[in-house]
Amino acid sequence: MDQDEPRGELVAAGATREKKGNPFSRFFGGIALFIRQVIAELRKVVTPTRKELFKFTLVVLVFVIIVMGIVYGLDTLFAFVTHWVFGIPG
């Protein structure tokens, strides 16, 4: 723990004291900071090439088809077991 101010108040290391001031300026300053951070993150975005885009799309479609097969198989199995246990004519 470090001493934050000469008054001897202890705060955790790395913690900052809350600033006092006009709440409107803090609010709009926070919005401006958020927008600057969003723009900085958008500059990091890399557009995939046509080949990468095709490959990623193919991977997603194959994965979706596999998951659909698993869900279909489980649904069929549970329907069969339910009809067998409860004797509901199918």
Side-chain angles (χ1 to χ4, degrees):
M1 298 246 189
D2 299 329
Q3 287 191 353
D4 188 29
E5 293 183 14
R7 291 182 297 189
E9 202 174 304
L10 293 178
V11 294
T16 58
R17 294 187 58 77
E18 190 174 319
K19 296 179 182 178
K20 294 181 181 176
N22 185 351
F24 292 108
S25 66
R26 286 195 328 223
F27 176 74
F28 290 115
I31 291 176
L33 174 64
F34 174 74
I35 292 173
R36 282 195 306 269
Q37 289 176 344
V38 167
I39 292 171
E41 288 298 321
L42 286 175
R43 287 186 178 142
K44 297 178 187 177
V45 173
V46 178
T47 305
T49 63
R50 186 179 205 90
K51 187 176 180 180
E52 289 173 334
L53 189 62
F54 180 75
K55 188 187 309 182
F56 296 154
T57 304
L58 188 65
V59 167
V60 168
L61 290 175
V62 168
F63 179 75
V64 167
I65 290 170
I66 291 171
V67 171
M68 284 174 48
I70 292 170
V71 169
Y72 175 77
L74 289 173
D75 182 52
T76 304
L77 175 69
F78 291 146
F80 173 76
V81 170
T82 302
H83 289 207
W84 179 70
V85 169
F86 295 110
I88 300 172

